[in-house]
Amino acid sequence: MTNTVGLVLSLYYVFTYFSVAKLSERWTVVRTRSTRTMSFPLSIMSCLVTLSWTAYGLHVADNFIFYPNAVG
């Protein structure tokens, strides 16, 4: 069960970044150091992915998954 949840979260993460964010949009954010051009759906999906990984790390009691995601 634990490996299945981890796989689903990993696929969810990859899907989010390749389907929602345009490559040019990501480079603009990095180059200008401003999130003004970043889309709202990308921001929401990023928060959901981070919350999912945090919950997963807590569920499996893995500090190497939990703490980086809980912080950021």
Side-chain angles (χ1 to χ4, degrees):
M1 175 68 178
T2 304
N3 290 333
T4 304
V5 173
L7 178 63
V8 168
L9 290 174
S10 294
L11 292 174
Y12 184 61
Y13 178 77
V14 170
F15 174 75
T16 298
Y17 276 91
F18 284 109
S19 67
V20 178
K22 298 176 187 170
L23 185 58
S24 61
E25 181 179 283
R26 286 183 274 173
W27 282 115
T28 303
V29 169
V30 171
R31 187 172 27 96
T32 62
R33 297 182 183 172
S34 171
T35 58
R36 188 174 278 179
T37 60
M38 196 164 74
S39 66
F40 184 70
L42 177 63
S43 300
I44 294 298
M45 294 302 286
S46 295
C47 288
L48 290 175
V49 168
T50 300
L51 288 172
S52 299
W53 276 111
T54 302
Y56 176 71
L58 187 63
H59 175 71
V60 298
D62 189 339
N63 291 335
F64 292 103
I65 296 174
F66 175 74
Y67 285 114
N69 288 292
V71 170

